[in-house]
Amino acid sequence: MAIRAAACLALDPVRLGGLRLRARASEVRDAILALCPSGARLHPDIADDALFGGLDLTETLRTGQPIQRDGLLARHDILALAMAERTPPGLAARLGQILDDGRHALIALDEGVDDEGLPPALTDRLALSLDLDGLRSADRPTREPLPDGPAVNPDDALVMLTSAAVTLGIPSLRAPLQALQVARASARLDGRAEIGEADLTFAVGVTLAPRATRMPDATPEEPETQADPPPPPDTDGAENLSDGIPEDVLLEAALAVLPPDLLTKLAASGTRRATGTGAGARLKGNRRGRPLPPRPGRPDGRSRIDVVSTLRTAAPWQRLRGGGPGGRVLVRASDLRFKRYESRSDRLLIFAVDASGSAAFARLAEAKGAVELLLAEAYARRDHVALLAFRNDGADLLLPPTRSLVRTKRELAGLPGGGGTPLAAALRDGAALARQAAGRGMDPALVVLTDGRPNIALSGAPNRAEAKEDAEATARLIRAAGLSGLVIDTGARPSPALASLAAEMGAFCLPLPRADAHGLSRAVASAL
């Protein structure tokens, strides 16, 4: 099937739109690509001027006249997009418009893992789709001619393909038309003038089946009553589609291509879609934020030229370039400097305060005062804050992420003390809150204020040994997640066990046995 699909693409690439080839680099993929038409290689970060053409900056600056250059679209009809699963939405939309013009074809090399995949704007426009994952070089496919069969009326074939697409949950109207084009190319490949049943089955396998979003209903049982006899054949001997190819044949072809576990996943979670990464603490761009030193580069349609820095770079070379005072400034491509800015994502400080009996007798008052001072500083920086208190058998989220200083101080003032020390539960809930905040583009940090005497396990049972093991295991998970944090030892004497726990957590341990609220605040502010 894979060899035949590549041969069909080579036979009529523009009309089919292209091929989505989901596979890692391997000999099997190279063998398939060798049969496909060759073309220009693209990457997901290609600039618009390289794709569509534009001003040749080097020649323009050298001659002083605007010099245009052609892009890849003007020189190639076939485009090969590497790492297609990383295609940004903007490029996917532009490539979709290019394919809609009917003069180019695209070969998308999808190397995604799990939920990574080609953007829907491109998947909908490529008639052929192959998945080579799991194939070895020894399993290299071969092409054999399809068996001859009765000719099929194209209008009837389109009706059956449309019905099969609806049954498989394919919302696109392009899919049945593309499947019909694939069937025609398959027939031409074997030297037949008209499409047959085998061509339709092949088209369903490479066009409709990969786009299925739901499992078709089970084949109904045969009715007890005898069906009406079939109508007599036409006078010219041709066989109608409804007599020769029932719809179940096309659905069985789709089921034969799709693995059962894939159908189960599709029915449970829907179609595969491309995913992206989240934000970080520092976001660099060229539009807004704190200015950064300009850097050299080439214009890509998105960068902004820093005119002052560019002229300052070109000024020392004017005499060597034939310029001088009173003349025009001669600028070369190497002189160009581009603007850069840096913006910071919102920060979230998660305070996990130990309100157990041991902390209440020791440093709870100082801890409350230090947290209030830190909250005031966070409010001045427009940071978000959240407040967790752990005592008895669990941790309570007293305050979700907020910027309200008054509300935070009110919740903190009413924090009671007493009970056990469920440190593991506090670390677990603080890490969960941090993950949620990171998913919203925030930069979370966890600050734990405790005397380091856990005695309540995650199960809620009072057991010091089990509580220590649970706290260390949770701390290792926090370290693996890359969450920044700080552990403040508020006990009367520094606790080696708490320092070891902070090391497991990948955080800095700050022992402050004799500090007041202001000392705690200054130490935390400097550490973070």
Side-chain angles (χ1 to χ4, degrees), residues 222-261:
E222 294 293 335
E224 296 180 359
T225 59
Q226 184 68 25
D228 295 335
D234 298 337
T235 56
D236 56 358
E239 192 172 2
N240 190 275
L241 177 67
S242 60
D243 301 327
I245 308 179
E247 181 181 353
D248 292 343
V249 173
L250 300 183
L251 294 180
E252 289 176 2
L255 291 174
V257 174
L258 290 178
D261 58 341

Side-chain angles (χ1 to χ4, degrees), residues 21-43:
L21 187 59
R22 185 174 178 86
R24 296 294 186 90
S26 63
E27 295 182 2
V28 178
R29 192 184 78 167
D30 294 341
I32 299 298
L33 291 178
L35 299 176
C36 297
S38 59
R41 299 280 292 186
L42 309 181
H43 60 87

Side-chain angles (χ1 to χ4, degrees), residues 63-102:
T63 60
Q65 300 293 330
I67 305 297
Q68 299 289 330
R69 65 173 180 177
D70 294 334
L72 295 176
L73 295 180
R75 302 193 300 269
H76 302 276
D77 295 334
I78 309 298
L79 306 175
L81 179 61
M83 296 182 293
E85 75 281 357
R86 303 183 183 182
T87 305
L91 179 60
R94 290 189 286 272
L95 290 176
Q97 292 178 346
I98 293 171
L99 296 177
D100 289 342
D101 291 339

